[in-house]
Amino acid sequence: LFSRSPKRKSKSGRRSRSPRGRRSRSPHHAAVKVKQERDDHCRRGNEDRKQRYSSEQAHRRERSSDRDRHRDHADRRKNPNERPGVRGHERERDVQNIREQQAEREFYNERRREHRQNNGGSGVEHQPELRQPDSKPKDKAPVNKEKPSFELSGALLEDTNTFRGVVIKYSEPPEARIPKKRWRLYPFKNDEFLPVMYIHRQSAYLLGRHRRIADIPIDHPSCSKQHAVFQYRLVEYTRADGTVGRRVRPYIIDLGSGNGTFLNNQRIEPQRYYELKEKDVLKFGFSIREYVLLHESSDKSEANTKDDDEEEEEKEEESDS
């Protein structure tokens, strides 16, 4: 049915072959030979490397043995009575001791880590009871050393603030002054009027049960030996025109007494200054005596009292300046 086209022939009379039919004419045994040569080269390289490594190891062993031999020889020259090989045993023993110490340290660290994890929520870390090996002797129980105390010993106070052989608990402040105004204390026992106390001749008055040092003795058993101090202090104040002036005012301070000091029936805090004013009432402990604070011009009219107060304050300022 189909007609075949006649095949073309070359001029030489041979048929032309298509390029698809052409193949490489290189023999297969050439590739195999190249692979074998490569494997042989690698094998020879490995063998050379192994021989070189073995020779290096042997050389190192020889050098180390020579070094040990020279060291032992030098040790024998230094210590002729010492047996050979003792230094090597000592080195082995030191290495073994170091390993035991490392193992013990790791054991203790592990115990501490476990204890810290167990007590992590409490916030308080106690020293764990560590079990020591039986080979080592037990340590003695730690002795609680006395902690240093940085509190005031009172030695300086005894040297600087002693009166008639008694240490005074109180020291006057730098602003202490003797007043120009003549203040007085009027003591009352129920309705009984007692002698007036003039308290303007010095800057401070100690009140207490210790008659050897008290300026104003208080004999009631509820009062302390050094109960309170009546102190005059130079303080600043603001005038009506806005200027700042200075004046001497009376204050009361409680020295930490057991039953307290009362100002106008109100107990005051210890170790704190409280300013006193005219007609204030003081009481000490459970004593029924009352002390009223007045001065020499209290019986005058209020106008005259104010004028006198201003004049005295101005005089005090001039004298202080």
Side-chain angles (χ1 to χ4, degrees), residues 112-128:
R112 291 192 188 95
R113 195 178 301 108
E114 292 178 359
H115 186 77
R116 195 179 297 112
Q117 291 177 358
N118 295 335
N119 297 338
S122 61
V124 180
E125 183 176 354
H126 300 282
Q127 183 69 19

Side-chain angles (χ1 to χ4, degrees), residues 152 154 157-158 160-163 166-173 206-210 213 223-229 253-258 271 273:
L152 298 177
L157 188 64
E158 291 180 1
T160 59
N161 205 18
T162 303
F163 180 70
V166 181
V167 179
I168 307 299
K169 296 181 181 179
Y170 176 78
S171 297
E172 290 193 61
L206 177 63
L207 299 93
R209 197 161 39 85
H210 203 307
I213 57 174
C223 297
S224 302
K225 293 182 180 180
Q226 300 182 36
H227 195 96
V229 172
I253 180 173
D254 185 86
L255 300 180
S257 60
Q271 307 297 336
Y273 286 106

Side-chain angles (χ1 to χ4, degrees), residues 14-268:
R14 296 180 180 178
R15 295 181 181 179
S16 63
R17 295 181 180 180
S18 62
R20 293 180 182 178
R22 295 177 183 177
R23 295 182 180 179
S24 175
R25 295 182 180 180
S26 60
H28 177 67
H29 64 86
V32 174
K33 187 176 181 180
V34 171
K35 186 176 182 181
Q36 289 177 356
E37 291 178 355
R38 189 185 301 115
D39 295 340
D40 295 339
H41 180 71
C42 293
R43 192 182 307 109
R44 285 194 301 271
N46 292 333
E47 291 176 357
D48 295 341
R49 195 178 298 109
K50 289 180 181 179
Q51 291 178 359
R52 195 182 307 111
Y53 179 74
S54 60
S55 62
E56 289 178 358
Q57 291 294 329
H59 182 65
R60 289 176 183 173
R61 284 195 295 269
E62 291 177 359
R63 290 184 61 185
S64 62
S65 62
D66 294 340
R67 192 182 301 111
D68 295 338
R69 195 181 307 110
H70 288 301
R71 188 182 294 110
D72 294 338
H73 181 67
D75 294 340
R76 270 189 258 109
R77 291 183 61 184
K78 291 180 180 178
N79 300 321
N81 297 328
E82 188 178 2
R83 292 180 299 175
V86 174
R87 188 172 183 84
H89 292 300
E90 291 181 354
R91 190 181 301 108
E92 293 179 359
R93 187 168 60 254
D94 294 340
V95 173
Q96 186 177 0
N97 292 336
I98 292 173
R99 290 177 181 174
E100 291 179 357
Q101 292 177 3
Q102 291 179 354
E104 184 179 356
R105 191 179 299 109
E106 292 178 358
F107 171 75
Y108 287 159
N109 292 337
E110 186 66 23
R111 292 293 299 274
R112 291 192 188 95
R113 195 178 301 108
E114 292 178 359
H115 186 77
R116 195 179 297 112
Q117 291 177 358
N118 295 335
N119 297 338
S122 61
V124 180
E125 183 176 354
H126 300 282
Q127 183 69 19
E129 298 180 357
L130 301 179
R131 181 178 61 82
Q132 296 183 354
D134 298 335
S135 61
K136 293 187 177 181
K138 295 183 179 179
D139 297 337
K140 296 181 180 180
V143 180
N144 294 329
K145 296 182 180 180
E146 185 178 358
K147 296 181 179 180
S149 177
F150 300 100
E151 297 180 358
L152 298 177
S153 61
L156 296 177
L157 188 64
E158 291 180 1
D159 296 339
T160 59
N161 205 18
T162 303
F163 180 70
R164 293 181 180 178
V166 181
V167 179
I168 307 299
K169 296 181 181 179
Y170 176 78
S171 297
E172 290 193 61
E175 65 272 12
R177 297 290 188 278
I178 297 177
K180 299 293 183 181
K181 187 181 296 185
R182 297 182 178 180
W183 291 93
R184 302 170 184 174
L185 278 178
Y186 291 83
F188 293 90
K189 185 177 180 180
N190 294 331
D191 295 335
E192 182 183 358
F193 181 75
L194 300 177
V196 180
M197 299 179 181
Y198 297 92
I199 54 172
H200 64 277
R201 296 184 177 91
Q202 57 192 46
S203 59
Y205 289 84
L206 177 63
L207 299 93
R209 197 161 39 85
H210 203 307
R211 281 186 166 267
R212 190 173 182 179
I213 57 174
D215 299 308
I216 301 176
I218 305 175
D219 297 330
H220 199 273
S222 65
C223 297
S224 302
K225 293 182 180 180
Q226 300 182 36
H227 195 96
V229 172
F230 191 88
Q231 178 71 59
Y232 292 102
R233 300 171 62 197
L234 180 65
V235 295
E236 296 181 352
Y237 75 101
T238 305
R239 298 189 183 92
D241 56 356
T243 58
V244 178
R246 296 188 301 174
R247 60 186 177 186
V248 178
R249 298 295 300 170
Y251 288 82
I252 190 71
I253 180 173
D254 185 86
L255 300 180
S257 60
N259 297 315
T261 302
F262 298 85
L263 174 61
N264 298 328
N265 295 326
Q266 297 291 330
R267 183 168 181 171
I268 62 176

Side-chain angles (χ1 to χ4, degrees), residues 277-320:
K277 298 179 181 179
E278 187 181 0
K279 299 180 182 180
D280 281 346
V281 180
L282 294 172
K283 292 181 66 176
F284 305 98
F286 300 139
S287 176
I288 60 175
R289 293 192 180 189
E290 297 181 349
Y291 299 83
V292 181
L293 180 65
L294 297 172
H295 53 81
E296 61 182 355
S297 58
S298 297
D299 54 347
K300 298 180 182 179
S301 61
E302 295 182 359
N304 294 334
T305 302
K306 291 182 180 179
D307 296 339
D308 294 340
D309 292 344
E310 292 177 357
E311 291 178 0
E312 290 179 359
E313 288 173 0
E314 291 177 358
K315 291 179 182 179
E316 291 175 1
E317 294 172 7
E318 291 176 359
S319 60
D320 293 333

